Amino acid sequence: MKIPAFSILPLCAGLISLVLMASTVQARQVRVVSPDGKVSAFVNDDGGALTYRVTADGKPVLDSSPIGLRSNGRDLGKAVSIKSFRRGKIDERYAIFGGKAWASNKANTATISLASNGETIEADVHVANDGVAVRLRLPALPGRSVDADLSGWNLAGGNPRLWATEFLPDYENVYAATTLDKLGNKNYGLPLTAKVNGLWVTLSEAAVVDYGDSSIHLNDGTLVTSLYADPQGWHTDEAVVQPWRVTIVARDLTGLVNTTLVQNLNPPPSKALAGAKWIRPGRSSWQWLAIGDPLEGDQKQWVDWTHQLGFEYYLIDDGWAKWQQPWQSLTDTVAYARTQGVGIWVWVHSNDVATPAARQALFRRFADIGVVGVKVDFPQGANREWTNWYIDTAKEAAADHLMVDFHGAAKPSGTERTWPNVLTREGVRGHEWHITRYNRKLPSEHDTILPFTRYVVGPGDYTPTVFEPKELQGNSWAHELAQMVIFTSPYLSMGGHPETYLSNPGLDVLKAVPAIWDQTLVLDGSEPGKAVIMARRSGNDWYIAAINNGEARDVTVKLSFLQKGPWQLVELSDSQDKPDAYNRHSKPVTPDQSITLNMRARGGFVARLQIR
């Protein structure tokens, strides 16, 4: 067959190419390559279906995977042809709150013009050193219906290992190890992490704005998206921008936990928000996990405990509105806390801030008495209306200089980059699910999987670190303390009672642990489901933290990540006699040395290292 004469566009240093392939149906392919040349995305219209595949280091990551959505009863992404494309490049660096101080956003991009089922639409492709993202954009059309999302991921490698969570609208389910073929017909939540051809791969979505949140399910070997909260879709007169379908690719676990691809795919904040001095990460005491509803008469005591711990914040949770004088007592507590250098956060139900008028009135009243942050709980399932509610709530809170913690929330999609006053959100099965008064206990492997799944895509409000013996339920003190270090949350709301912290032999280390970090490394011996061992740096100080599953293990950790010393190490390791105790040692160490972590079942380890 004679191939039609189409000119081959310049490769521009190999970044992007357009290729014409011979087949029974004319097909075109757009290739986009990452800045380091190691990750490639190939977008095709072969057979009239819009698909893409991904390779990294020459190995397949995704086999042919669909890009599409159904609008006005037509499948856009079918009966499709690539008409043209234009290339782009991104190179920026910006400050973030989390596991490191700075995010790097370097990528090569393509915007592809498509004809599909009588419409002209566009596909965006973003290829970075740490992964690939694709999405569709539809032009504005009066009364357009968005009926279903038709994109998905076809993982390469046959039947890869996965770490997945069965879907719940509040994203509070356990993560467990499985394989692709064992998923069955259940719905699963994003993110999902897989081991594909020796690479760590996390799937999720970014920039879920003016669009419904998605779950995934297995369909003929492909993980396809489902608008679980919008089964009937919606109508809009506006342009439709599909959230980015994200494939994070890492060669090691350090690369995986340090990705900012999801955040990079969101717009930057306004200049005023980017430099806002009132947005301050910090640690918080919190009474709900320890005692239940807050008591009106002991609020100054909680402020005093917070001050003694050196924490920046105290959160007054659900129950304050039932006090005899709720607003007067709240005002008095805020005023007293200010004298102690403590900021007050306040819990609210999403029903109380469901409309613009209600939000603006309540947020203004909080701001007028000096509240610094709001914990907004129990949002409804994230259909299009409620995903817009998240953005509107963040925007209106920012107008009153209020920081935000979304609880009972959908997974993060990186919108905290645009709204940095949203310091954290739940969307995780955390310590509220490890509590005796509700007869709830977390599986031993869950904590060891979270850093490599849920926490890959954004901060999570786990509410860590409970020392009361009856609440350990098999965990050790070192395991609980390590949660504070490992589970990233720029608003670090602590689950334990302050008195148990103040009396704990590890108090000096606990008081020193910050809410944000400058650098994070995942150390040898880490494996999802078995153990997580991290080294995290804040300023000149390093911390090592480890969490173990249900099997005791000894791990040797090299200290070669340290700069030249000498260093002084204070370590809190598991007591083998009982869970509510440490073996505590202090000793000088150098970068050429190693230390051994002796972890009991459901145990852990924490160390602080300072230059002598």
Side-chain angles (χ1 to χ4, degrees):
M1 182 179 85
K2 184 177 180 182
I3 300 176
F6 282 82
S7 61
I8 303 298
L9 298 183
L11 296 185
C12 190
L15 297 180
I16 303 174
S17 60
L18 183 63
V19 180
L20 180 69
M21 300 185 299
S23 67
T24 56
V25 178
Q26 177 180 303
R28 303 180 89 184
Q29 174 175 280
V30 177
R31 182 187 183 205
V32 187
V33 182
S34 61
D36 66 3
K38 296 179 179 180
V39 178
S40 294
F42 304 83
V43 179
N44 298 273
D45 63 5
D46 194 8
L50 187 66
T51 62
Y52 71 112
R53 60 186 179 89
V54 174
T55 64
D57 304 336
K59 297 179 287 189
V61 174
L62 295 184
D63 293 333
S64 183
S65 302
I67 309 173
L69 60 84
R70 183 175 297 126
S71 173
N72 290 342
R74 294 177 294 185
D75 288 358
L76 303 180
K78 299 291 180 66
V80 72
S81 61
I82 295 173
K83 297 303 183 184
S84 63
F85 81 97
R86 62 184 182 274
R87 63 181 179 264
K89 184 176 182 180
I90 301 170
D91 189 350
E92 61 179 345
R93 184 172 180 262
Y94 60 92
I96 58 170
F97 301 136
K100 60 183 182 180
W102 295 93
S104 175
N105 183 15
K106 294 184 178 181
N108 293 311
T109 66
T111 299
I112 305 171
S113 179
L114 305 162
S116 178
N117 272 316
E119 284 205 50
T120 298
I121 61 176
E122 290 188 315
D124 294 324
V125 186
H126 178 111
V127 182
N129 297 344
D130 55 351
V132 169
V134 299
R135 70 179 180 186
L136 287 181
R137 288 183 292 109
L138 315 184
L141 187 67
R144 178 190 289 281
S145 69
V146 177
D147 308 320
D149 196 286
L150 304 174
S151 293
W153 296 267
N154 184 9
L155 290 167
N159 185 35
R161 290 190 71 199
L162 308 176
W163 293 267
T165 180
E166 291 186 27
F167 177 74
L168 290 175
D170 62 5
Y171 284 83
E172 293 181 43
N173 213 343
V174 296
Y175 271 89
T178 185
T179 54
L180 187 67
D181 65 354
K182 292 181 180 178
L183 294 183
N185 59 3
K186 297 177 181 178
N187 274 0
Y188 287 82
L190 294 169
L192 174 149
T193 294
K195 193 71 178 290
V196 178
N197 290 326
L199 298 164
W200 296 99
V201 177
T202 296
L203 311 179
S204 201
E205 55 183 344
V208 183
V209 177
D210 200 30
Y211 201 94
D213 188 54
S214 294
S215 61
I216 55 173
H217 61 277
L218 190 64
N219 182 16
D220 195 24
T222 297
L223 294 165
V224 295
T225 50
S226 175
L227 298 173
Y228 63 88
D230 283 300
Q232 306 305 317
W234 62 87
H235 289 81
T236 180
D237 297 334
E238 305 298 325
V240 175
V241 181
Q242 186 182 46
W244 292 98
R245 280 48 187 113
V246 181
T247 305
I248 296 165
V249 180
R251 283 83 185 171
D252 56 31
L253 292 173
T254 292
L256 187 68
V257 304
N258 278 288
T259 181
T260 55
L261 182 56
V262 168
Q263 290 74 26
N264 292 349
L265 291 162
N266 284 266
S270 66
K271 290 184 178 179
L273 277 182
K277 302 300 184 184
W278 55 269
I279 302 176
R280 300 185 302 273
R283 303 151 301 169
S284 181
S285 57
W286 171 57
Q287 88 294 318
W288 186 86
L289 202 62
I291 68 168
D293 289 359
L295 303 176
E296 189 170 11
D298 68 355
Q299 293 308 291
K300 288 185 178 180
Q301 175 64 76
W302 277 84
V303 170
D304 289 343
W305 283 327
T306 304
H307 176 71
Q308 291 172 50
L309 288 167
F311 290 176
E312 292 80 5
Y313 301 117
Y314 164 49
L315 166 64
I316 303 173
D317 207 83
D318 184 19
W320 69 270
K322 295 181 288 187
W323 291 345
Q324 289 185 352
Q325 296 180 299
W327 280 99
Q328 186 59 55
S329 294
L330 190 62
T331 301
D332 293 345
T333 302
V334 171
Y336 178 70
R338 189 181 294 116
T339 70
Q340 303 301 304
V342 172
I344 297 296
W345 287 59
V346 179
W347 180 98
V348 297
H349 196 291
S350 64
N351 289 344
D352 297 329
V353 289
T355 66
R359 283 192 295 273
Q360 291 163 15
L362 188 57
F363 289 168
R364 169 48 51 192
R365 192 171 185 185
F366 281 147
D368 284 346
I369 67 171
V371 170
V372 300
V374 289
K375 174 181 175 179
V376 189
D377 210 348
F378 300 117
Q380 295 181 24
N383 60 15
R384 173 178 174 249
E385 178 183 352
W386 276 87
T387 60
N388 288 340
W389 171 88
Y390 283 101
I391 302 302
D392 293 341
T393 300
K395 179 180 180 179
E396 288 157 10
D400 282 310
H401 290 191
L402 293 172
M403 295 173 282
V404 180
D405 171 7
F406 288 119
H407 242 239
K411 67 180 179 297
S413 67
T415 53
E416 70 271 14
R417 182 189 179 192
T418 311
W419 301 103
N421 60 312
V422 180
L423 289 184
T424 193
R425 64 173 63 205
E426 194 177 21
V428 63
R429 179 165 282 198
H431 223 306
E432 290 183 14
W433 285 89
H434 196 78
I435 184 171
T436 58
R437 71 174 178 257
Y438 295 122
N439 297 314
R440 299 193 304 215
K441 181 178 179 179
L442 288 169
S444 63
E445 66 272 12
H446 177 68
D447 281 2
T448 70
I449 298 174
L450 285 179
F452 311 118
T453 50
R454 165 61 180 83
Y455 282 89
V456 172
V457 301
D461 190 10
Y462 185 99
T463 61
T465 310
V466 174
F467 289 146
E468 187 176 350
K470 75 171 186 176
E471 297 297 336
L472 295 175
Q473 301 191 83
N475 289 355
S476 70
W477 271 358
H479 181 114
E480 292 285 326
L481 184 58
Q483 291 174 346
M484 182 186 184
V485 179
I486 289 173
F487 295 143
T488 308
S489 184
Y491 173 64
L492 186 57
S493 180
M494 299 288 287
H497 197 293
E499 287 186 314
T500 69
Y501 295 160
L502 291 166
S503 63
N504 191 272
L507 175 63
D508 58 328
V509 175
L510 181 145
K511 290 176 67 173
V513 174
I516 57 173
W517 303 93
D518 295 318
Q519 185 179 357
T520 296
L521 304 172
V522 179
L523 303 181
D524 290 346
S526 298
E527 182 178 344
K530 294 185 178 180
V532 52
I533 309 165
M534 282 187 177
R536 308 195 98 163
R537 181 177 62 82
S538 175
N540 292 324
D541 293 354
W542 280 92
Y543 295 77
I544 299 171
I547 286 175
N548 198 25
N549 68 358
E551 300 177 8
R553 74 187 69 239
D554 297 337
V555 180
T556 299
V557 170
K558 296 179 180 179
L559 301 179
S560 54
F561 58 85
L562 297 173
Q563 298 175 343
K564 291 182 179 180
W567 293 79
Q568 187 69 23
L569 176 144
V570 174
E571 65 178 15
L572 300 167
S573 60
D574 285 332
S575 165
Q576 301 305 311
D577 297 328
K578 58 179 184 174
D580 55 328
Y582 303 113
N583 287 326
R584 178 174 178 136
H585 299 97
S586 179
K587 59 185 178 182
V589 294
T590 57
D592 58 349
Q593 291 181 292
S594 299
I595 58 174
T596 300
L597 283 53
N598 305 116
M599 292 186 286
R600 58 188 292 152
R602 300 187 74 119
F605 177 92
V606 176
R608 185 186 187 196
L609 297 111
Q610 297 177 284
I611 293 179
R612 297 176 67 189

